[in-house]
Amino acid sequence: MTVDLDTLASELAAGEAQPVATEPVTLVIFGGAGDLAHRKLLPALYNLHVDGLLPPRMAVVGVGRKDIGDDQYREFARDGIQRFSRRSLDEERWDSFASSLFFVNSAIDQPGVFASLGSRLDIIEHERGLAGNRIYYLAVPPALFVPTVQQLSHARFVAPADARPFSRLIVEKPVGRDLASARAISDAIAAVFDEHQIYRIDHYLGKETVQNILVLRFGNSFFEPLFNKKYIDHVQITVAEQEGIGTRAGYYEQSGALRDMIQNHMLQLLALVAMEPPRSLDADVVRDEKLEVIQSLRPLEGEAVDMATVRAQYAAGFDLGAPVPGYKDEPGVSRSSRTETFVAMQVFIDNWRWAGVPFFLRTGKRLPKRASEISIHLKEVPPILFNRDPHRRLDPNVLTIRIQPDEGFALGISSKVPGPRVRIYPVNMDFRYGSTFGGSSPEAYERLLLDVMAGDATLFMRRDSVEGSWHWITPILDRWAEQTTDPLPTYGAGDWGPPEADRLMESAGRSWRQL
Ligand code: BG6
């Protein structure tokens, strides 16, 4: 269904273009006073409230070790919204939102604490007329996933699947650090929650531009006929970050870029670009097709890993002209750390559609700018007519999907320069969300939280997909873990990765797109 922009604007203002969550609900955030809640979850909930998209009756209950009460928690939320919300804080709306926020001080790994948490939840739900629907959000370190879920079970907080009132669980990444640990976590969670009650977040799937990949591919007849080995030369997916690891060394030292970005976000982007058309938009149908792609990735093991991957760590350099430290000098990082902050790799999808088409993935911290995009590079036109001069080959067409910032997409095409001579120049057809639709797009967490409330799992990772990704990633991790003496390549902060990443591309006869 297409609509004109005025209609669309009024639909958006009335919340009609959004999924609807109407059932009263209590959102219990374990880790409720942590960084994720501060930066992302509470601002997202506030924006949903302002848009009138939250259920009419609802409570948000933060749970954590901080010794604070409801009023201090509301101050914490207010600060997060003022600093990180896409909208500035409106006092009147804030007051009504704040009244739904509560905090329970509780060390969730201590036995018995769930009894007092339970009584507090009962009181809140009774006072606010809530029916007992609960969403539990695991915004805690992964080591606490299993203990928390077990405590929920012992305290009888979890209703069976399909029961009313419902119980749902949101799990943040990382689910595990390799295939074995991911399976162990999933088994323990599956002992308490049915798969249909579990919503594993990969916040990239909540980004507008990422959702638009399917619309672009399957809502237009231009692109889909070209998306295959006959017409596509190669695909590049880049997720570049300008920031370093900041204060996250504790997590990042155990993770690195392969686990942090490739195993989840980038493989999900790859799956969306490469999947077959699903027969419907049902959550499981879409997720089945994405899983097919993950399972068709050509395995990388042993020496094949060395040929197809590059990992590196940032050294001291510059960010917008200001000197910044190298990774090893970041607070909390070991001087002998071999944690990679950059990964580039060449991968193949061994199915009929994509046989032989290389996909290049690249991600890193402390790169020159924050820019994420997918570029689909079409094959060259034949070396005849306008492309017959071997010294002046035409630029092949490129479809670029800009995920962030400056969301949109562009099509690079060859065009004649006006004048009596035939001169060809590459031009860009460019669509920008900002200029066409105006305003700021909802943050990924807004969409995802709303979907959990509405019970729609399409944009969440199913267990088989998480394990499929780990199945493919784990041999790469194993190979890297064997190589403890070879020096790790480095790149200066503010560079586009190490020279090895360029050589990877050169040896494949291509070059990285300049962002
Ligand atoms: C997170 C990673 O999942 O995604 C972070 O743990 C990374 O290391 C972040 O910075 C990037 O998300 P975004 O939405 O800023 O691109």
Side-chain angles (χ1 to χ4, degrees), residues 293-306:
V293 176
I294 307 275
Q295 291 177 333
S296 308
L297 286 170
R298 185 180 298 171
L300 285 177
E301 289 169 359
E303 283 178 10
V305 174
D306 309 341

Side-chain angles (χ1 to χ4, degrees), residues 40 172-173 203-204 207 239-241 243 248 251-252 260-261 264-265 365 370 372 404 444-445:
K40 300 283 186 190
E172 265 295 330
K173 69 168 257 278
H203 77 278
Y204 266 57
K207 290 182 190 270
V239 176
E241 297 190 88
E243 291 190 1
R248 295 174 74 218
Y251 157 73
Y252 203 82
D260 187 46
M261 298 297 289
N264 35 72
H265 307 322
K365 296 209 182 278
R370 178 172 188 252
S372 300
Q404 63 192 23
Y445 278 96

Side-chain angles (χ1 to χ4, degrees), residues 231-310:
Y231 297 103
I232 305 294
D233 177 73
H234 73 282
V235 176
Q236 299 186 22
I237 305 180
T238 298
V239 176
E241 297 190 88
Q242 190 171 349
E243 291 190 1
I245 55 139
T247 54
R248 295 174 74 218
Y251 157 73
Y252 203 82
E253 274 285 85
Q254 302 303 315
S255 166
L258 189 68
R259 289 187 177 96
D260 187 46
M261 298 297 289
I262 305 256
Q263 184 269 338
N264 35 72
H265 307 322
M266 297 197 64
L267 289 189
Q268 288 296 314
L269 294 180
L270 175 81
L272 287 168
V273 172
M275 70 192 260
E276 294 299 317
R279 69 172 188 282
S280 79
L281 292 175
D282 284 355
D284 277 326
V285 176
V286 174
R287 298 191 297 180
D288 284 346
E289 292 299 349
K290 288 197 319 187
L291 178 64
E292 276 288 318
V293 176
I294 307 275
Q295 291 177 333
S296 308
L297 286 170
R298 185 180 298 171
L300 285 177
E301 289 169 359
E303 283 178 10
V305 174
D306 309 341
M307 306 294 292
T309 69
V310 170

